């Protein structure tokens, strides 16, 4: 909950300071991804923010930091 609140505050301040013009190649990094649900949740939060801020959908990119083998290799050893 704290991370979501921090992200929301940061994005609101950024959008206000730039007049809704995000820096080129702006992305939000999701560290230590361990499950696709984490990525889906971040995507959902960003889409909701884009809509409420009247930004183009998909204008906030996502960068993933993959640090655990579980995100790449499934339980059966498939990549």
């Amino acid at each position: 909950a704290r991370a979501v609140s921090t992200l929301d505050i940061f994005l609101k301040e950024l959008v206000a300071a730039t007049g809704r013009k995000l820096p080129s190649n702006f992305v939000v990094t999701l560290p230590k991804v361990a499950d696709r649900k984490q990525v889906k949740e971040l995507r959902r939060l960003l889409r909701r923010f884009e809509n409420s801020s009247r930004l183009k959908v998909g204008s906030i990119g996502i960068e993933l930091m993959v640090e655990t083998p579980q995100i790449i290799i499934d339980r059966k050893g498939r990549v």
Side-chain angles (χ1 to χ4, degrees):
R2 188 172 65 160
V4 171
S5 176
T6 300
L7 177 63
D8 188 58
I9 291 168
F10 172 78
L11 291 174
K12 284 178 181 174
E13 292 292 324
L14 178 63
V15 168
T18 62
R20 287 192 190 83
K21 295 189 188 245
L22 297 174
S24 61
N25 299 319
F26 178 78
V27 297
V28 172
T29 301
L30 182 60
K32 300 181 182 179
V33 177
D35 190 290
R36 73 170 74 174
K37 292 176 188 174
Q38 296 168 318
V39 180
K40 287 180 178 183
E41 178 64 13
L42 179 58
R43 180 176 165 246
R44 186 187 69 75
L45 291 169
L46 292 177
R47 295 301 177 262
R48 187 172 67 189
F49 180 82
E50 290 166 342
N51 288 331
S52 68
S53 299
R54 293 178 291 175
L55 294 172
K56 180 181 172 187
V57 171
S59 61
I60 303 175
I62 299 174
E63 175 183 68
L64 305 177
M65 289 180 67
V66 177
E67 298 180 12
T68 60
Q70 295 90 338
I71 195 70
I72 299 171
I73 302 170
D74 69 13
R75 293 180 185 166
K76 294 183 179 180
R78 297 177 297 204
V79 177

